[in-house]
Amino acid sequence: MRLLFLGDMVGRSGRTAVWERLPGLISDFRLDFVIVNGENAAGGFGITEDIYLATLEAGADVVTTGNHVWDQREALEFASRSDRFLRPANFPIGTPGRGTGLYEARNGARVFVTNIMGRVFMHPELDDPFQAGERELAACPLGEQADAVVIDFHAEATSEKMCFAHFVDGRASLVVGTHTHQPTADHQILNGGTGYLTDAGMCGDYDSSLGMDKEEPLNRFLSKVPKGRFEAASGPATICGVGLDISDRTGLAERIAPLRLGPRLEETVPAFW
């Protein structure tokens, strides 16, 4: 099974790049399943229903989120009726929407996806992500109810991401970090067979500050006095993520590599594709 995960879409530039490139990627590389983190797609803050639906139309099978999930208030409405839209599973009981889902891939495989948010340096501080991960994996074990398990771990601290991945090693196909918007170079397969990447990076304009126009963030570092709002950078976007080949027999990772396409970073696609 061949899977692609794309990091946080940021603003119009990022989402447009994903919508334009994703259909060709699915066709050219015969992708069986695609997950896109969309939590910054609406001007850098949250996601609207129209953007969510357009991302599915482009070929995404699931859209995950994180701490910005409710920045666009309409998300509180459409989350509950959209089974391919995930917010972090460790929100308190009663929160709108869902944090996990079981989906059918293009090759017929059952793919269990869960979105979990870390707590170190993160706001709001949600329920224990390790307990949430244990609960979700117990509900849909790899090799029993699921042929593949993917966890979007939305977190700031590298140590928390890495420890969570070791915690679920051998029980998930992929643990991929999101949130920092900076792609890391530590893609690997852990000892138990789980694919891992600390952060997928963002799909957005990298001539920026984390996808936002760099002038206002720079001003705040220099003067400590806000002059305006953060605005999503509008230059040409680079899409970043990770590709994974998953064993049809075990559901664990066989090969993993980053994907980066666009004008700013060195372009790369998984060589095994």
Side-chain angles (χ1 to χ4, degrees), residues 7-14 39-41 43-45 67-68 122 154-156 161 178-184 199-218 221 230-238 264-265:
D8 309 36
M9 292 191 298
V10 181
R12 182 185 301 275
S13 176
E39 74 145 9
N40 301 114
F45 300 95
N67 58 304
H68 288 288
M122 295 293 290
H154 196 81
E156 181 75 25
K161 294 177 180 181
T178 54
H179 179 66
T180 72
H181 295 192
Q182 294 300 304
T184 58
D199 205 286
M202 69 174 177
C203 298
D205 177 7
Y206 277 82
D207 183 15
S208 67
S209 175
L210 305 181
M212 309 306 286
D213 185 271
K214 53 183 178 274
E215 296 306 321
E216 181 57 19
L218 181 58
F221 278 116
F230 286 167
E231 301 286 346
S234 58
T238 297
R264 195 72 181 184
L265 305 182

Side-chain angles (χ1 to χ4, degrees), residues 118-122 130 153-166 175 177-180 182-186 188 196-199:
R119 295 204 291 188
V120 179
F121 309 128
M122 295 293 290
F130 291 84
F153 195 78
H154 196 81
E156 181 75 25
T158 301
S159 58
E160 188 178 24
K161 294 177 180 181
M162 297 185 76
C163 284
F164 182 87
H166 289 302
V175 174
T178 54
H179 179 66
T180 72
Q182 294 300 304
T184 58
D186 60 340
Q188 60 186 285
Y196 174 72
L197 178 66
T198 294
D199 205 286

Side-chain angles (χ1 to χ4, degrees), residues 238 240 259-269:
T238 297
C240 287
L259 178 139
R260 295 188 297 270
L261 295 172
R264 195 72 181 184
L265 305 182
E266 181 180 0
E267 291 198 327
T268 182
V269 297

Side-chain angles (χ1 to χ4, degrees), residues 38-72:
E39 74 145 9
N40 301 114
F45 300 95
I47 185 170
T48 65
E49 186 169 20
D50 285 346
I51 293 173
Y52 159 67
L53 293 173
T55 305
L56 295 185
E57 181 67 24
D61 296 287
V62 178
V63 175
T64 56
T65 56
N67 58 304
H68 288 288
V69 59
W70 310 127
D71 284 4
Q72 302 295 322

Side-chain angles (χ1 to χ4, degrees), residues 4 42 50 76 86 129 135-136 166 178 232 236:
L4 173 66
D50 285 346
L76 289 165
L86 300 183
R135 179 188 69 232
E136 301 303 337
H166 289 302
T178 54

